[in-house]
Amino acid sequence: MDLLIDNSYSLGGTLHFDLSNRVPAKLATDSNVRHLSWIYTDPMIRSLWDSVYQSMFSHAVKSSPYNPSATLKKGVPLTIDLPPLGPIEMHTRGVQFIDYVLVKEIIAIGGFQHPSNEILFWHPSKKRREWSSGDKTIRMIPGSKNTDYVLNDQSDNAKEDSNQDILETSPTIMRFANYPVVETRRSSVRQSNTGNEVIVSTGRGGKHAAAASEEVSTQDSMVGGDTLPIDFQTLETIPASDAIGLEPFFQMIELLKQTFPVKVRMSVVRVPPGKRFSVCMNGSRRTCAIVQVTTGIMTSYIIEVARPDDWSISTLILRPRNQLSFRIIERNIKQLLDGLVQKGGHWDQSVLNQCDVMNIEKLKHYQSDTIREWATRLAGKLMS
């Protein structure tokens, strides 16, 4: 859910709700925005949504504590913790027998209260169209219209599938008691010419040349779509969607990129297995974000351990003392993570001392910090 939402906040009684580019343009509709914002902002409904994953992971950990993924591959029955929702209306298709009704399909459901009465939503596909009387330029491209991609795991680019397939299904109708008004924020402009069509043979036109190929990697692109991954050789990276408990950290790094003159690469890994700390209380495998931050000529590394359970552990900031090969840096990071797990979820000071090729500094978490204050404190450490 968090990876579908770029930003969400209330201002002057209006909910500002920004969808990410992971949401297909065809699904960025008013009705879906009402539905997603209801799940995202209503604490009771959000807990219902999260209970599905928590129950699934908990079941997997109980069945196979040291290899929960094995249970997940076999399949886990889905269950939910249903909160007291109050009176609701349902139109169903079913069969009645005496005092019992077997519900085969829920056709419509209503009576829910949305936390907001007005929603201003945004999606990358929503652009303000401006018309002009200029000629429409058309470039004829021979050959296939499909772009060729060359697989190269050393590439800095990951292919974003922005045109996902959509399975059309009969919708379940949902009605809110207060039915919030949805307006679309269109911050960018799409130019459209209405004149005569003019065919050209040079220039970019509306498409790249069909013969052109682009190198892409299989690494998962991070939150925001433009944060490149770190080219690890021995550490196994995982998709950002598996990084449960790192969502506030991703928001902070995104703000750091926008506010300060830094270049950022980021990857997510799982902490080593073998200890209770390796698995969170909700049954999910604990993850860790590793961020490479370059300020001017200095490159630092940030290690942030996921804390969905509010585990007390500081952020590590690593600064290589000299020009080190990336292989040595990666080996030291792996050594620190191994020591973290063996110490039961705390940074092992003896292991920190062994990594003498880098200056290591800890940055504490404060519950009173806003995302911006957190980013400012981190930037102060990186640029000092």
Side-chain angles (χ1 to χ4, degrees), residues 5 24 35 72 83 90 122 144 161 171 304 311-312 314 328 333 357 377:
I5 314 302
H35 196 139
L72 292 173
M90 286 197 300
W122 174 87
S144 172
D161 190 3
E304 174 73 11
W311 186 267
S312 179
S314 299
I328 294 176
I333 293 175
V357 295
R377 285 201 302 119

Side-chain angles (χ1 to χ4, degrees), residues 94-110:
V95 178
Q96 183 174 0
F97 177 73
I98 310 177
D99 293 332
Y100 297 92
V101 176
L102 173 63
V103 176
K104 296 183 177 181
E105 180 185 8
I106 298 177
I107 300 173
I109 186 169

Side-chain angles (χ1 to χ4, degrees), residues 108-250:
I109 186 169
F112 293 110
Q113 187 76 23
H114 197 289
S116 305
N117 290 322
E118 295 182 2
I119 303 172
L120 182 61
F121 101 93
W122 174 87
H123 184 266
S125 66
K126 303 299 181 182
K127 297 181 180 180
R128 187 174 69 255
R129 187 180 292 272
E130 290 187 356
W131 304 92
S132 67
S133 58
D135 293 335
K136 291 186 291 186
T137 301
I138 299 177
R139 183 176 178 225
M140 304 302 292
I141 300 176
S144 172
K145 295 182 180 179
N146 296 326
T147 303
D148 292 327
Y149 292 95
V150 178
L151 181 62
N152 177 11
D153 281 337
Q154 302 304 317
S155 172
D156 288 340
N157 303 310
K159 181 179 180 295
E160 281 283 347
D161 190 3
S162 57
N163 298 303
Q164 301 98 324
D165 293 334
I166 297 176
L167 178 63
E168 297 290 345
T169 59
S170 299
T172 299
I173 300 172
M174 291 195 61
R175 298 283 296 182
F176 293 100
N178 53 335
Y179 204 72
V181 177
V182 177
E183 295 184 3
T184 304
R185 190 179 84 247
R186 303 176 188 271
S187 53
S188 55
V189 176
R190 175 181 296 164
Q191 296 285 351
S192 295
N193 294 336
T194 59
N196 298 324
E197 295 182 352
V198 177
I199 299 177
V200 298
S201 58
T202 59
R204 294 172 63 91
K207 296 280 186 180
H208 294 288
S213 61
E214 180 183 354
E215 288 191 349
V216 298
S217 75
T218 55
Q219 295 283 350
D220 184 67
S221 59
M222 301 303 297
V223 175
D226 58 353
T227 303
L228 301 176
I230 304 174
D231 297 325
F232 287 123
Q233 300 299 316
T234 60
L235 288 173
E236 182 182 358
T237 61
I238 62 172
S241 56
D242 294 343
I244 299 173
L246 284 170
E247 295 85 358
F249 180 75
F250 290 155

